[in-house]
Amino acid sequence: MAGASLRRAVLTDAGIIAAYNIAMAEETEGKALGPTTVRTGVEALLADPAKGFYLVAEMGGRVVGQAMITYEWSDWRNGSFWWVQSVYVHPDVRRQGIFAGIFREIEREARELSGVVGLRLYVDAENLRAQETYRNLGMDESNYLMFEREF
């Protein structure tokens, strides 16, 4: 992650984070997201730490990567899982360890908090490159399948 620094995102980052979320959805799942909805959603999280946070990577004052953390309470473990979501690294700086640096910082922060019991993420079944990245970072494939009903 040479030349990049990490920080928590702030409200003024909402535009670039929303743009990266839109690009990620199109690139990885072929989904077109509504810019207004995404921007409003990003701003809602940034305004309410109870929802989670974004960690961003910067190079030369430019945000080049991001990941969002949200929380899931586990009664089985009496603690929270941190969900790693909205992962995106700008194409110009991919394969340079940007996401690995973001992930390691997330893991470091999570391990320092006694109430965090693990990290989770989901990845599109077709996104083999991302799956390889997550395995290389020490994550294991879960035996759980994800089901959903969108409204």
Side-chain angles (χ1 to χ4, degrees):
M1 199 176 93
S5 61
L6 300 175
R7 64 174 175 80
R8 293 282 178 107
V10 295
L11 195 54
T12 55
D13 295 313
I16 191 66
I17 291 170
Y20 284 175
N21 284 343
I22 290 166
M24 179 266 304
E26 176 61 37
E27 182 181 318
T28 62
E29 299 181 36
K31 288 187 177 181
L33 302 179
T36 302
T37 301
V38 174
R39 174 77 183 245
T40 304
V42 170
E43 289 172 348
L45 183 131
L46 290 171
D48 183 0
K51 286 182 173 54
F53 65 90
Y54 285 93
L55 191 64
V56 295
E58 281 187 320
M59 294 178 80
R62 174 181 160 226
V63 173
V64 296
Q66 69 182 41
M68 177 180 75
I69 298 301
T70 59
Y71 314 115
E72 173 195 5
W73 179 254
S74 172
D75 56 345
W76 287 11
R77 294 168 182 86
N78 190 31
S80 293
F81 279 96
W82 279 11
W83 277 88
V84 181
Q85 300 178 72
S86 297
V87 171
Y88 188 81
V89 174
H90 193 279
D92 292 348
V93 294
R94 288 185 184 160
R95 310 313 274 178
Q96 294 181 32
I98 301 295
F99 178 68
I102 291 170
F103 182 84
R104 286 185 189 110
E105 176 60 17
I106 289 167
E107 183 175 19
R108 185 194 66 73
E109 288 185 31
R111 286 182 181 275
E112 286 184 358
L113 298 172
S114 62
V116 181
V117 297
L119 301 175
R120 287 184 169 162
L121 59 80
Y122 55 86
V123 60
D124 189 89
E126 307 282 320
N127 194 343
L128 302 180
R129 185 177 221 178
Q131 292 173 40
E132 177 186 355
T133 296
Y134 301 141
R135 283 186 189 97
N136 288 340
L137 288 169
M139 295 194 85
D140 297 315
E141 189 172 335
S142 171
N143 62 321
Y144 294 105
L145 295 176
M146 186 173 136
F147 290 79
E148 69 181 3
R149 179 179 288 184
E150 288 191 40
F151 301 114

